[in-house]
């Protein structure tokens, strides 16, 4: 998938509900989930987000976003975090050095 952004999540018992929450928070967008055994890559083109509200609908009110941070082993794109939401976006190419989002081969 070209211009893909999103998390690489360590395998744990909460992973399926978190993936459902990511899909819920990105309606109308193709979200690709690739299971690599020990980790799962979740990605979409350009922008991907997940909210605390959607994760709590899946896992219960006690879930805090910092727990998602512990599940995150890597990601592609630029990440922005708040206590209510995590968003991954495509990093624009800038300057002569050409900043870029990590390519798939850059991330485990």
């Amino acid at each position: 998938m070209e211009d893909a952004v999103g998390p690489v999540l360590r395998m744990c018992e909460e992973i399926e509900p978190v993936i459902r929450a990511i899909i819920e928070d990105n309606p109308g967008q193709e979200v690709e989930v690739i299971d690599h055994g020990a980790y799962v890559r979740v990605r979409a083109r350009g922008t991907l987000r997940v909210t605390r509200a959607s994760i709590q609908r899946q896992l219960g009110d006690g879930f805090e976003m910092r727990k998602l941070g512990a599940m995150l082993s890597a990601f592609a794109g630029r990440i922005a975090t708040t206590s209510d939401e995590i968003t991954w976006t495509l990093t624009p190419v800038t300057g002569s050095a050409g900043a870029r989002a990590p390519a798939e081969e850059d991330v485990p």
Side-chain angles (χ1 to χ4, degrees), residues 14-75:
E14 294 96 353
I15 199 161
E16 289 299 325
V18 168
I19 291 169
R20 287 193 302 268
I22 292 171
I23 292 169
E24 175 185 327
D25 281 334
N26 295 277
Q29 188 169 7
E30 179 185 348
V31 177
E32 186 175 45
V33 179
I34 306 165
D35 186 341
H36 291 279
Y39 66 94
V40 173
R41 181 183 302 276
V42 182
R43 62 188 191 172
R45 185 167 280 126
T47 302
L48 191 68
R49 68 188 281 262
V50 66
T51 63
R52 180 169 47 100
S54 65
I55 294 174
Q56 286 181 340
R57 278 191 292 279
Q58 298 292 328
L59 286 169
D61 289 339
F63 188 89
E64 296 180 20
M65 292 302 277
R66 66 178 177 219
K67 188 167 184 180
L68 182 58
M71 294 171 60
L72 188 66
S73 63
F75 60 90

Side-chain angles (χ1 to χ4, degrees), residues 73-88:
S73 63
F75 60 90
R78 177 173 287 172
I79 191 170
T81 62
T82 70
S83 59
D84 293 320
E85 181 175 316
I86 297 178
T87 304
W88 297 268

